[in-house]
Amino acid sequence: MPFRIHNTLAGRLEEFVPLVPGKVGMYVCGVTVYDRSHIGHARAMVVFDVLYRYLRFAGYDVTFIRNFTDVDDKIIARANHAGISTDSLVDTNIRAFAEDIAVLGCLPPTLEPRATQHIPEMVAMIEKLIAKGLAYPADGDVYFAVDKSPGYGKLSKRHLDDMQAGARIEIDERKHHPMDFALWKASKPGEPWWDSPWGRGRPGWHIECSVMASKYLDQPFDIHGGGTDLIFPHHENEIAQSEGAYECAFARYWVHNGMVTIDREKMSKSLGNFMTVQAASRRVGGEAVRLFVIGTHYRSPLDFAVERLDDAAGNVTRIYETLARAAAAVGSEVVPADASIVAEFRAAMDNDLNTAGALGVIFDTLRALNRALDQDDLPKAGPLRVALREICGVLGFGQADASAWLERARRAHLDATDVNSAAVERLIAERNDARKARNFKRADEIRAELKAKGIVLEDAASGTVWKAEKS
């Protein structure tokens, strides 16, 4: 079955065929670094990390570009309010973004260019658009003339006449058309600026992605990604600029993830209804945040609730508990993965990156592996265990040493609940001595005492293990 993905430009599922056999160029709009990332940003980062991982798993050599918007109105306003430079604010938030991405387990892209590192290229593209009659200067600003772009609206499926009739934008008499957008903005007091043929100023938002995508991936390239909130105007304007400047297609497949919502409203900083990646990962761990994100198909809205984060954390623990159990039973024997499991996983992923279906395969495999371990069927358990780790790895979790992960999780939980692990270990040792002495009354008392403190004991052939119940 070929890999098929929904192309927003075509409005349908299409078989993915790269421009150059065996190679993929992918550009994804990154964050505007004026604050820490929230779960809405995490969704885009995780979705495209999974796409990146799956394309590599399928054998493609992928060049993955994800940018930073490091100059815009929000950055300038936040820096001025804090009394610091925009450079200082940007550097702080790029470091914070790197921490969040690492916690989420996202692979580093091939390149992470910053908009401000490409001002000369932006000026050159704007000059090209002016020379072609597609843009015009106006008192130090430069605007793109949307009515000179015959295909304008083809991504968002909007018509220019309808946009004009329904436009709710500030009237600017310098514009030839109300929907014309800024390629270059004249500088204002207190703003960073760069020299240009039109005077000191800074680039508009849309031009930066056109420049960086074409610089690092050429034009056309294979995949352009981002959230559905970027379809209009950002991605629509990118297409108009890029195709106007170079007279060829910009990107061949446009892939968009749905929004994270709370009570059916988009999660956003402007509405104040958000949870940061930092706060979510402190609560449940980065892998649980990741599992929560991919539990819903990437194009569907993802409704956020802390209870769903907690459920995801429980499922991550189940995976590691089973992997630890399998490792203890099977050992380090090297066996091939169960091919039928991997094939079923690929069938789900080939169907528009259906991570929810792929997770279904993972949990079916988890149950099958536990049954095999219950029955001491090690020849079956070995290939299932390898397949489980392999397909979890494509989704970006379940790759840590299981026993070590469980121990870290247990100790982190104890730190949060003030449980004294040394005291627990002493009571377990006392219980073991009582059992050896056939003093089962005392052994049961110790189990009950620990249970009252939220500590659950599990006796296995390899010894007694314990864990703290979720509060």
Side-chain angles (χ1 to χ4, degrees):
M1 177 180 176
F3 176 44
R4 303 174 74 223
I5 195 158
H6 188 271
N7 186 352
T8 306
L9 185 61
R12 62 177 181 266
L13 282 178
E14 291 187 332
E15 179 180 349
F16 177 69
V17 180
L19 193 64
V20 178
K23 295 183 180 293
V24 176
M26 180 168 72
Y27 183 93
V28 174
C29 290
V31 294
T32 301
V33 282
Y34 72 98
D35 204 347
R36 289 205 78 125
S37 298
H38 57 62
I39 299 296
H41 301 122
R43 188 179 200 194
M45 298 305 107
V46 169
V47 163
F48 289 102
D49 179 68
V50 169
L51 177 56
Y52 181 34
R53 287 171 180 268
Y54 189 63
L55 290 169
R56 288 171 37 147
F57 177 72
Y60 291 106
D61 177 11
V62 185
T63 301
F64 175 21
I65 311 299
R66 184 181 63 218
N67 75 298
F68 288 115
T69 295
D70 60 345
V71 59
D72 92 324
D73 293 340
K74 291 178 181 178
I75 292 172
I76 293 167
R78 182 65 60 88
N80 288 342
H81 180 74
I84 60 176
S85 69
T86 56
D87 285 347
S88 177
L89 179 71
V90 162
D91 289 344
T92 296
N93 286 318
I94 285 179
R95 286 193 297 271
F97 179 80
E99 293 171 3
D100 292 340
I101 282 293
V103 165
L104 292 171
C106 294
L107 298 174
T110 309
L111 286 171
E112 288 185 290
R114 299 189 188 190
T116 57
Q117 296 169 339
H118 301 80
I119 302 295
E121 294 97 324
M122 294 182 206
V123 169
M125 179 178 269
I126 295 169
E127 288 181 310
K128 185 185 291 287
L129 290 168
I130 292 172
K132 288 175 174 285
L134 299 174
Y136 56 91
D139 301 327
D141 295 339
V142 180
Y143 292 100
F144 184 89
V146 295
D147 59 356
K148 304 293 185 183
S149 178
Y152 193 75
K154 64 184 178 181
L155 182 69
S156 58
K157 311 298 184 286
R158 302 185 184 197
H159 297 288
L160 194 55
D161 291 343
D162 296 336
M163 293 184 218
Q164 182 172 359
R168 299 175 66 181
I169 56 177
E170 184 179 348
I171 296 174
D172 187 337
E173 297 297 337
R174 298 173 305 158
K175 291 185 179 183
H176 296 176
H177 188 285
M179 299 304 296
D180 289 353
F181 57 88
L183 301 172
W184 187 263
K185 298 181 178 183
S187 66
K188 298 174 183 176
E191 293 186 351
W193 55 265
W194 291 263
D195 281 320
S196 81
W198 318 285
R200 292 178 175 179
R202 58 186 173 91
W205 176 32
H206 314 298
I207 194 72
E208 66 181 66
C209 290
S210 287
V211 163
M212 288 184 280
S214 62
K215 175 174 181 176
Y216 296 110
L217 297 174
D218 293 327
Q219 187 176 320
F221 58 94
D222 293 303
I223 299 173
H224 195 311
T228 54
D229 58 333
L230 299 181
I231 294 173
F232 188 88
H234 185 50
H235 289 168
E236 195 74 70
N237 292 351
E238 283 185 56
I239 291 173
Q241 297 164 162
S242 299
E243 296 187 354
Y246 297 109
E247 299 181 9
C248 66
F250 181 40
R252 300 169 66 240
Y253 298 86
W254 288 81
V255 180
H256 292 95
N257 63 275
M259 295 294 97
V260 176
T261 59
I262 297 180
D263 295 330
R264 295 187 225 179
E265 280 194 308
K266 173 189 168 186
M267 179 181 284
S268 71
K269 291 172 182 170
S270 61
L271 294 174
N273 62 345
F274 66 93
M275 175 180 273
T276 64
V277 173
Q278 183 184 44
S281 61
R282 281 178 176 169
R283 179 183 178 92
V284 296
E287 286 183 271
V289 177
R290 189 179 183 97
L291 188 63
F292 162 70
V293 166
I294 62 178
T296 299
H297 189 273
Y298 77 92
R299 287 194 288 120
S300 299
L302 173 60
D303 195 47
F304 176 81
V306 291
E307 295 81 7
R308 296 186 68 191
L309 276 182
D310 292 341
D311 289 344
N315 284 327
V316 172
T317 300
R318 280 178 57 204
I319 291 168
Y320 275 115
E321 286 175 341
T322 301
L323 288 172
R325 185 184 178 203
V330 176
S332 57
E333 180 183 2
V334 178
V335 296
D338 186 311
S340 65
I341 298 295
V342 177
E344 191 178 353
F345 172 82
R346 293 193 67 154
M349 296 293 282
D350 283 341
N351 182 22
D352 197 22
L353 208 71
N354 184 3
T355 53
L359 285 175
V361 176
I362 284 174
F363 289 111
D364 286 345
T365 306
L366 202 68
R367 285 186 286 271
L369 177 53
N370 276 308
R371 283 195 299 269
L373 293 170
D374 290 341
Q375 297 163 7
D376 204 26
D377 187 351
L378 300 189
K380 184 175 183 180
L384 285 171
R385 171 199 175 201
V386 175
L388 180 62
R389 281 185 64 86
E390 182 175 320
I391 62 181
C392 283
V394 178
L395 297 183
F397 58 87
Q399 301 306 290
D401 177 270
S403 296
W405 187 94
L406 290 169
E407 180 61 22
R408 286 195 300 273
R410 184 177 68 178
R411 292 191 179 280
H413 184 82
L414 295 179
D415 289 344
T417 54
D418 296 323
V419 174
N420 187 321
S421 58
V424 172
E425 296 289 355
R426 285 195 296 270
L427 284 170
I428 290 174
E430 182 184 345
R431 177 174 176 268
N432 288 339
D433 289 341
R435 293 172 72 196
K436 288 176 186 177
R438 304 188 66 79
N439 185 355
F440 298 115
K441 181 176 181 296
R442 178 55 184 155
D444 289 343
E445 288 173 349
I446 293 172
R447 177 189 283 275
E449 179 183 343
L450 289 172
K451 174 70 175 176
K453 295 178 179 179
I455 304 299
V456 177
L457 303 185
E458 295 179 359
D459 295 317
S462 58
T464 301
V465 295
W466 60 276
K467 61 183 179 181
E469 291 183 315
K470 184 162 59 176
S471 59

